[in-house]
Amino acid sequence: MRSDEFEEQHYTNIRDILGTLIGCRLVDITQHSKEEFRDDQTSYVMLMFDDGSYLRFTIGDAGFDHNVGEE
């Protein structure tokens, strides 16, 4: 397979997936519950939007990057 064929088949622009969130208002930030973590040892952060959509990030060993509250 040529590299341009691979790129066409596997590359997706993030706006194709999350573009509907542009302009939505963030209404809540939440995470996994104690019970969820106890059951499957999975950690996540969830951003919830005013249109009912959400964006969930699973947190692995490397954690996640942010710049909130850092100097």
Side-chain angles (χ1 to χ4, degrees), residues 5 9 14-15 27 30 34 42 59 61 63 65 70-71:
E5 288 176 345
Q9 291 179 3
I14 194 66
R15 289 176 182 265
V27 295
T30 190
K34 288 181 182 180
T42 300
I59 304 169
D61 293 337
D65 192 22
E70 294 181 359
E71 305 242 354

Side-chain angles (χ1 to χ4, degrees), residues 51-66:
D51 69 348
S53 298
Y54 67 87
L55 188 55
R56 182 172 142 166
F57 296 96
T58 302
I59 304 169
D61 293 337
F64 62 96
D65 192 22
H66 64 88

Side-chain angles (χ1 to χ4, degrees), residues 2-56:
R2 295 186 339 245
S3 65
D4 59 334
E5 288 176 345
F6 176 83
E7 199 168 303
E8 283 184 31
Q9 291 179 3
H10 298 289
Y11 181 80
T12 302
N13 184 306
I14 194 66
R15 289 176 182 265
D16 293 338
I17 299 169
L18 300 177
T20 58
L21 294 177
I22 295 171
C24 287
R25 188 171 61 91
L26 180 66
V27 295
D28 198 8
I29 301 172
T30 190
Q31 68 178 43
H32 56 277
S33 68
K34 288 181 182 180
E35 294 78 19
E36 286 175 304
F37 186 76
R38 183 190 63 228
D39 292 345
D40 64 14
Q41 300 294 300
T42 300
S43 298
Y44 64 83
V45 172
M46 187 179 299
L47 307 177
M48 301 173 79
F49 297 90
D50 62 350
D51 69 348
S53 298
Y54 67 87
L55 188 55
R56 182 172 142 166

